């Protein structure tokens, strides 16, 4: 019954912006830590950003100053705002709630 539906990925030019969304059903996101991961072809999946139920956030060094994680509890949706995108940001991005719940992934491609 739990479902995380990601959207907002696509093709952008370097320097562009995207906002990824993770809409949850079957659970209440306010009860969970939210994380965004990404995985590029041939590379390990890496944690990009996370936010706790108290609102504290952690952001990977590669994303600091460019990516912002947030949630809207009223909409039961989490977000990843990505600015100043670089070709090395190209990956499939996944949202994760707590330990067990993952989105299906959304492709982000930044042209070189």
């Amino acid at each position: 019954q739990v479902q995380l539906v990601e959207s907002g990925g696509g093709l952008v030019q370097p320097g562009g912006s995207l906002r990824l969304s993770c809409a949850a059903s079957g659970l209440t996101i306010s009860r969970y830590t939210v994380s965004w991961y990404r995985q590029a072809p041939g590379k390990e999946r890496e944690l990009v950003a996370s936010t706790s139920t108290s609102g504290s956030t952690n952001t990977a060094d590669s994303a600091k100053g460019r990516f912002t994680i947030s949630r809207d509890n009223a909409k039961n949706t989490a977000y990843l705002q990505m600015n100043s995108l670089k070709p090395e940001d190209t990956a499939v991005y996944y949202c994760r709630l707590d330990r067990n719940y993952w989105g299906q992934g959304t492709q982000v491609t930044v042209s070189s």
Side-chain angles (χ1 to χ4, degrees):
Q1 186 174 356
V2 174
Q3 188 176 28
L4 305 179
V5 179
E6 299 178 353
S7 62
L11 174 64
V12 297
Q13 296 181 354
S17 298
L18 287 173
R19 188 174 77 159
L20 307 183
S21 298
C22 179
S25 61
L27 56 77
T28 302
I29 66 164
S30 63
R31 296 176 56 86
Y32 301 95
T33 295
V34 173
S35 302
W36 286 91
Y37 291 77
R38 68 185 180 190
Q39 187 166 26
K43 298 183 179 179
E44 297 180 354
R45 185 171 297 185
E46 64 174 337
L47 177 64
V48 178
S50 62
T51 181
S52 72
T53 56
S54 67
S56 64
T57 61
N58 282 318
T59 308
D61 288 342
S62 61
K64 286 181 179 177
R66 301 187 300 121
F67 291 9
T68 303
I69 187 171
S70 64
R71 72 175 92 205
D72 187 333
N73 291 333
K75 297 181 179 179
N76 214 34
T77 300
Y79 303 96
L80 184 68
Q81 178 68 46
M82 305 186 295
N83 299 325
S84 302
L85 283 161
K86 305 174 181 179
E88 50 263 46
D89 296 319
T90 296
V92 178
Y93 284 72
Y94 301 88
C95 66
R96 181 190 187 186
L97 268 64
D98 202 60
R99 296 178 298 275
N100 300 322
Y101 307 114
W102 291 84
Q104 82 286 356
T106 185
Q107 177 71 47
V108 172
T109 302
V110 185
S111 66
S112 58

